[in-house]
Amino acid sequence: MSSDLSALLYLAASVCFIMALRGLSHPTTSRQGNIFGIVGMVLAIGTTLMAPGVVSFGTILLGLLVGGAIGTVIALRIKMTALPQLVAAFHSLVGLAAVCVALATFYKPEAYGIGRVGDIQISSLVELAIGTAVGAITFTGSVVAFAKLQGLVSGAPLVFKMQHMLNAALGALVVVLLVLLCTTQEPLYLWVLIAVTLLLGFLLILPIGGADMPVVVSMLNSYSGWAACGIGFTLQNNLLIITGALVGSSGAILSYIMCKAMNRSFISVILGGFGAEADDGPAGSGGDDDRVVKSGSGDDAAFLMKNAGSVVIVPGYGMAVAQAQHTLREMVDLLKADGVNVRYAIHPVAGRMPGHMNVLLAEASVPYDEVLEMDEINRDFKSTDVVFVIGANDITNPAAKTDPKSPIYGMPILEVDQAQTVLFVKRGMSAGYAGVQNELFFRDNTMMLFGDAKQMCEKIVKSLEQL
Amino acid sequence: MSSEEFINKATDVANSARALSDEVASLASEASRLAIDTAGQSAGSPFIMGLTVLVLAVFVGYYVVWNVTPALHSPLMAVTNAISSVIIVGALIAAGPADVGFSEIMGFIAIVLAAVNIFGGFIVAQRMLQMFKKKQ
C-alpha cells in the first residue's frame, strides 16, 4: 500500500476518533459515537497490517486474540461500582505498552525509518525518551491508583519527610538521563531512565489521598494520551499524535473540572497529603461532638417524603459502597406513584471518578433527565420540601460557603441547607473525607437516619408500602 | 598552421567543450536537488509538521471535550482509554518482521496490552452507554 493511501486512511481513523468524542455530547448520540471509535480503531489496525514491513500475521493475530479475550471478559464482568479501579488498571496498560513500543523502536529504529541502532535521528530519540518516561510514570502511577481504589493499600495519603525533595531530585535525574541518552545513544541510559521514571510514578501517586482520586484518575488518563503522542512524534505518525492529543486534552479538562469542583489547585492535588490532617483531629470538632442531633427512623423518613411535594436525592460514594442504587430507585418509584416530584442532584466530585454517580443511577434504570448537575439544581433547593442525602457529606457542607477557616472553604456545594427538611443517611457521626464536621447535622430541620444506606432504603420502601 | 596542428587544436576544444557540458549538467542536477530541498523546507521538518498537527488536535480536543455532557464523563474516560491504545500501531510495526528478536517480542507484548485496552475500553463504554438509553 502506498504511503499516501495509508496516511489518508490514518486521517479517516483520526476523524472517527474525533466523532467518537463528539457523540458523547448527548446520551442519544453517544452509542453512535462509540461505534465511530470502534470503526476508527479497525481502520488504524487494518491500515498498519497492510504496511510492507508487517508480515508475521500469525503472531499478531495471536496477540490480538489473547489481549482481546482478556479485555472482553474483564469488561463484561466488571461491576459498575468498580469502574474507577478498572479505568486505572487500563491506564497502566497503555503506559506499559508505550514503554514496550519505545524499547522496540530503540533497538530496531530501521523498521520505522528513523535511523540505525546507535545512530537514531536526534529529534526522534528525544521524543522517544519523553514518550518512554511519560509511559513509565503512567504505568506505576496507575498501578498505585488501582491499588488504592481497590482497597489493596490504604486510601489514606502516605506522606513522609523529604518526599518532595526526593521527587524533585528524581525529576532532575530524569532530565540528566534524557540529555545523556540523546547525546550518547547508550542503551544503558534508556534502561536507567525507565527504572527511575517507574519509581517516580509510584512515589508521585502514593501521597495522594482517596478523596483526590477523581483528579488522579483523570490526570493519568491525560498522561496515557501524552505518552501515545510522544511515540507518535518518534514514529512520525499523525494518527498517534492526533489521538494522543485528544486523550491528553480530555484528561486535562476532566482534571480541571474536578479540581474546580473541590476548589483545589491542581498543584496542591499533585503534591498530595490532602485529608492527612484528618488524623490529627479537625480543628473545632471537639466542641461540636457534644451537641445533639435529631435522629429518625425509616418510618419517619417515609412519612416526611410521602407528604412532600418535591424531593431531591443527593447520592454520594456511600451509596455506591452500599450498592443501594437499586433499592433507592424502588423507593423513588413508590414516591412518584404518590405524585411526589423526585429528582436527583449530582455534585461533580461525587463518587471516585468523573460521572461515576450518573452511571450508577443509569444502571439502576433512573432516567437521565431526572438526574441534574449542580448548576442546574442549586437554585431549586429553596423551593424543595425534602432533600434525601445518601452517602454524601462534604459536598453538602455549608461551611464551604460560610467558614473561611474550613479546609473545604470555597468549594462549590449542593445548597441542601436551603431546603425545608434534610434527611441524612449515614453510618455514624464520622467526618467526611476532608476531615471536617458537617454543620448541617446539628440544624433543627435536619434528621439523621443512622444505618447502612441500602438497609435504610429497604426500611423506607417497606413503610412506604404500608402507609 | 599545419593540418595536423589544426586537428589537435580542434580535438582539444572539443574535449574542453565536453568537460564544460558535463559540468553544466552536474550543476543543473545540483540546482534541481537544491530546489527540491528548499521546497521541502518550506513545508517544514517532520517535527514542525508533527507539532502543527499536535497543536491543532489539542484545540479540537479542547472544544469537543467541553461539549461532553458531565453525565457521560465516565464513558468518556473509557472511550479515551480505548482510543489511546491506538499506540498498537507502533506495536504492530515492531512485531511485524518475520524474524524474532527483542524488538519483535516487545512489540508482541505491547499488542497484547493494547488489545486488552481496546476491547475492554470499548465494551465497558458500550455497557455504560446502553444504560443511558431512554426508558419507555
Side-chain angles (χ1 to χ4, degrees):
Chain A
M1 189 187 295
S2 80
S3 61
D4 277 352
L5 182 57
S6 58
L8 282 176
L9 288 174
Y10 280 148
L11 178 64
S14 312
V15 173
C16 283
F17 289 154
I18 294 172
M19 296 300 286
L21 299 191
R22 182 78 187 87
L24 290 171
S25 57
H26 196 272
T28 48
T29 56
S30 58
R31 280 173 296 277
Q32 190 194 357
N34 206 31
I35 302 296
F36 266 116
I38 296 169
V39 170
M41 190 57 75
V42 170
L43 264 178
I45 294 176
T47 308
T48 314
L49 285 180
M50 278 185 259
V54 181
V55 289
S56 59
F57 295 110
T59 326
I60 290 171
L61 192 66
L62 179 71
L64 287 175
L65 281 178
V66 171
I70 298 172
T72 308
V73 170
I74 294 175
L76 289 177
R77 288 211 176 155
I78 194 78
K79 278 213 177 94
M80 284 298 148
T81 38
L83 213 52
Q85 47 267 51
L86 176 77
V87 169
F90 279 170
H91 288 156
S92 75
L93 300 183
V94 182
L96 192 58
V99 174
C100 288
V101 172
L103 277 172
T105 314
F106 186 78
Y107 281 95
K108 207 167 189 180
E110 62 272 15
Y112 304 90
I114 55 165
R116 279 170 288 108
V117 177
D119 184 26
I120 301 173
Q121 284 168 28
I122 188 73
S123 60
S124 296
L125 192 57
V126 174
E127 295 142 11
L128 181 135
I130 293 173
T132 314
V134 179
I137 291 176
T138 312
F139 173 54
T140 44
S142 303
V143 168
V144 176
F146 169 79
K148 285 199 176 209
L149 289 164
Q150 182 74 23
L152 298 177
V153 299
S154 156
L158 248 142
V159 195
F160 54 87
K161 272 183 197 165
M162 306 285 286
Q163 192 165 36
H164 298 321
M165 293 287 284
L166 178 64
N167 287 346
L170 284 176
L173 184 59
V174 169
V175 175
V176 171
L177 284 167
L178 274 172
V179 173
L180 281 175
L181 172 67
C182 295
T183 47
T184 64
Q185 308 236 2
E186 179 63 52
L188 176 71
Y189 291 126
L190 183 62
W191 287 101
V192 179
L193 177 73
I194 293 174
V196 172
T197 44
L198 284 176
L199 180 66
L200 192 59
F202 191 70
L203 289 173
L204 277 176
I205 307 303
L206 216 49
I208 304 179
D212 281 337
M213 274 304 139
V215 183
V216 171
V217 174
S218 347
M219 186 186 77
L220 291 167
N221 184 236
S222 181
Y223 282 5
S224 69
W226 300 127
C229 213
I231 302 295
F233 267 97
T234 315
L235 308 185
Q236 292 170 11
N237 184 319
N238 284 341
L239 173 63
L240 259 65
I241 298 178
I242 294 172
T243 314
L246 289 177
V247 177
S249 45
S250 161
I253 289 173
L254 290 180
S255 313
Y256 171 79
I257 294 173
M258 294 300 116
C259 282
K260 211 168 160 234
M262 295 192 293
N263 190 39
R264 312 238 293 118
S265 78
F266 188 66
I267 301 293
S268 72
V269 171
I270 298 306
L271 291 182
F274 188 64
E277 35 308 17
D279 304 331
D280 312 331
S285 66
D288 290 348
D289 291 341
D290 300 336
R291 291 185 285 169
V292 279
V293 296
K294 207 162 68 177
S295 79
S297 66
D299 293 336
D300 300 334
F303 180 78
L304 272 169
M305 286 195 281
K306 196 181 167 72
N307 292 307
S310 59
V311 172
V312 172
I313 315 266
V314 177
Y317 188 60
M319 180 197 80
V321 173
Q323 298 272 353
Q325 61 269 33
H326 298 278
T327 329
L328 179 71
R329 216 252 3 251
E330 274 178 54
M331 181 189 99
V332 171
D333 284 349
L334 288 171
L335 288 172
K336 278 201 279 191
D338 278 335
V340 184
N341 173 24
V342 189
R343 288 174 302 170
Y344 298 79
I346 309 262
H347 191 275
V349 293
R352 283 291 175 276
M353 76 185 280
H356 194 193
M357 281 303 135
N358 302 76
V359 171
L360 293 176
L361 291 176
E363 188 192 17
S365 308
V366 173
Y368 58 79
D369 42 12
E370 287 174 18
V371 183
L372 301 176
E373 304 300 323
M374 183 169 64
D375 299 337
E376 297 169 319
I377 191 94
N378 251 349
R379 73 178 84 91
D380 292 355
F381 279 116
K382 272 195 193 93
S383 54
T384 301
D385 296 326
V386 179
V387 171
F388 186 76
V389 184
I390 175 165
N393 185 358
D394 290 334
I395 55 171
T396 62
N397 194 339
K401 281 194 303 184
T402 54
D403 179 10
K405 278 188 277 224
S406 170
I408 59 167
Y409 181 69
M411 176 173 119
I413 56 159
L414 289 164
E415 294 166 5
V416 301
D417 52 317
Q418 297 184 350
Q420 291 277 316
T421 310
V422 183
L423 301 174
F424 251 102
V425 182
K426 235 176 153 299
R427 285 168 173 279
M429 282 301 288
S430 60
Y433 265 103
V436 199
Q437 191 55 273
N438 195 338
E439 201 57 30
L440 264 184
F441 298 165
F442 308 102
R443 295 210 176 166
D444 286 339
N445 59 347
T446 302
M447 185 194 279
M448 303 298 291
L449 305 168
F450 289 115
D452 174 77
K454 192 175 179 184
Q455 284 163 8
M456 184 51 75
C457 285
E458 280 164 0
K459 276 183 205 159
I460 298 174
V461 167
K462 246 180 225 148
S463 46
L464 276 176
E465 279 165 346
Q466 285 160 5
L467 275 173
Chain B
M1 196 189 284
S2 74
S3 67
E4 204 167 294
E5 262 178 279
F6 183 78
I7 291 171
N8 279 344
K9 267 225 169 112
T11 325
D12 281 353
V13 170
N15 279 341
S16 58
R18 194 174 302 132
L20 203 65
S21 88
D22 280 355
E23 204 157 328
V24 167
S26 80
L27 266 175
S29 77
E30 181 94 349
S32 73
R33 203 168 55 78
L34 269 173
I36 290 168
D37 275 6
T38 346
Q41 265 163 17
S42 72
S45 66
F47 174 73
I48 298 299
M49 282 303 288
L51 193 67
T52 312
V53 171
L54 170 72
V55 172
L56 293 178
V58 167
F59 271 91
V60 171
Y62 181 85
Y63 288 107
V64 170
V65 173
W66 271 117
N67 264 323
V68 172
T69 170
L72 294 180
H73 276 165
S74 283
L76 171 70
M77 293 190 85
V79 170
T80 51
N81 179 63
I83 67 173
S84 68
S85 299
V86 74
I87 203 159
I88 197 170
V89 165
L92 290 172
I93 297 173
D99 47 340
V100 176
F102 176 74
S103 289
E104 285 76 18
I105 294 170
M106 279 295 137
F108 179 75
I109 296 173
I111 289 178
V112 175
L113 295 173
V116 172
N117 251 317
I118 293 171
F119 282 75
F122 280 127
I123 290 174
V124 103
Q126 192 65 24
R127 262 185 74 194
M128 280 189 254
L129 296 174
Q130 217 60 41
M131 297 170 185
F132 281 94
K133 256 192 181 147
K134 199 94 181 158
K135 309 287 184 313
Q136 262 74 50

